Every structure is written in C-alpha cells, then in structure tokens.
Amino acid sequence: VMASDGLGGAVCIVSSAAGLISLPGYAVYSATKFGHRGFLAGAYHELRQHGVNLSVYYPGSIETPGFEHEKQLMPTVTSRIESSCSDVSKSDDAAAVLLAGIEKGTKEITNELLPSLVVDQPTGFAPLDALVAAVTQCIRAGWSTYLRVMAQQYI
C-alpha cells in the first residue's frame, strides 16, 4: 500500500540482538533472527525505490515480565554470558531508541553497545568504511573466542 500510494513510508522489523550475535543455547532462536537481516539486505533497495524506508531493530535485553520468565529458563551458559555482557534496558528507553532510529531512517537499529559495533553503517568514505569493517572483524573474533571459553566452562 505504501509503495502504490506514492507517499512512501517506513517499515521496521523488530528482531533481536541475537540476529547479530548468537549465543550458545539460542541457536534456533538466533537463526530466525538472522533471517531478518537477510530480508533487510534483499528488500531494502527494492522498497527504497518506492519511497519506503525499511529498518530492522535489534534490541538487546529489555526489562519486561517476559524477560524475567526467560531468565528462569535460560541455559546456564547463556545466563552467564547475558549477565556479564548485556545492558538490560527499560522498555521506555528501548522504545525511544527504536523511534529515533525510524525517524532518522536508520537501516539497522540497536540499543546495546556490542550489537552496535557490528551493524552495517557505511559512511560512504571507502577508507573509513574499510577500517570500520576491519575493527568489526576483530570484535567478532574476540566475541567468538569469549563464547568458546564460556561454552567450554559451562556446557
């Protein structure tokens, strides 16, 4: 409808930080969230040509009754990683980040530090983008090492 009316608009898929960074114990959940990023990569330019901005929001942990219930069911390794790496946001703060990202037309939105380091935010200046990509790969390598250590310790 947005594309056919000529007015454009915005669509935002609410995913999870697990769509950027997977955790032991959440393999299936993460796979479904990684699919949102794949959809964004394929549909972003298709929709842009019709004036529709597509975003994906990758929130981290949000303080809600559902999250409190989830913490009781988490595998030990996931709980340990979550408690050492995750900034648990208030729901109002997470919503404010989401709305600000949509209003700015941000392609990939997140409310946590670690996921924010791996989202795709090109500057258009090739040398800087290459440097950011290299740093991102180093962060991913460090994260992978951390996950391997945690898995060996708690699985």
Side-chain angles (χ1 to χ4, degrees):
V1 172
M2 281 187 252
S4 65
D5 69 8
L7 300 176
V11 174
C12 184
I13 298 168
V14 177
S15 185
S16 167
L20 296 168
I21 302 167
S22 189
L23 297 175
Y26 276 61
V28 173
Y29 178 77
S30 290
T32 66
K33 301 307 177 182
F34 270 77
H36 293 145
R37 196 169 202 201
F39 179 79
L40 174 68
Y44 181 80
H45 293 289
E46 288 177 36
L47 294 174
R48 291 289 294 186
Q49 68 184 354
H50 297 288
V52 178
N53 188 57
L54 178 61
S55 300
V56 176
Y57 181 38
Y58 304 100
S61 299
I62 301 173
E63 194 175 283
T64 64
F67 180 63
E68 289 304 314
H69 178 71
E70 178 188 351
K71 287 191 320 189
Q72 296 171 5
L73 303 174
M74 278 182 190
T76 302
V77 65
T78 310
S79 179
R80 298 280 180 146
I81 293 168
E82 180 78 29
S83 65
S84 67
C85 295
S86 183
D87 308 321
V88 178
S89 299
K90 302 276 188 212
S91 57
D92 288 347
D93 295 337
V97 169
L98 168 61
L99 291 174
I102 291 169
E103 289 171 355
K104 287 190 281 186
T106 306
K107 186 176 174 182
E108 293 186 295
I109 306 164
T110 187
N111 64 330
E112 280 199 20
L113 176 61
L114 188 58
S116 73
L117 298 174
V118 297
V119 297
D120 184 23
Q121 296 180 350
T123 64
F125 182 61
L128 180 58
D129 290 344
L131 177 62
V132 169
V135 170
T136 298
Q137 290 303 322
C138 291
I139 292 165
R140 287 181 178 158
W143 178 250
S144 179
T145 300
Y146 172 73
L147 290 179
R148 186 173 56 253
V149 168
M150 292 298 282
Q152 288 171 346
Q153 203 167 9
Y154 295 107
I155 294 180

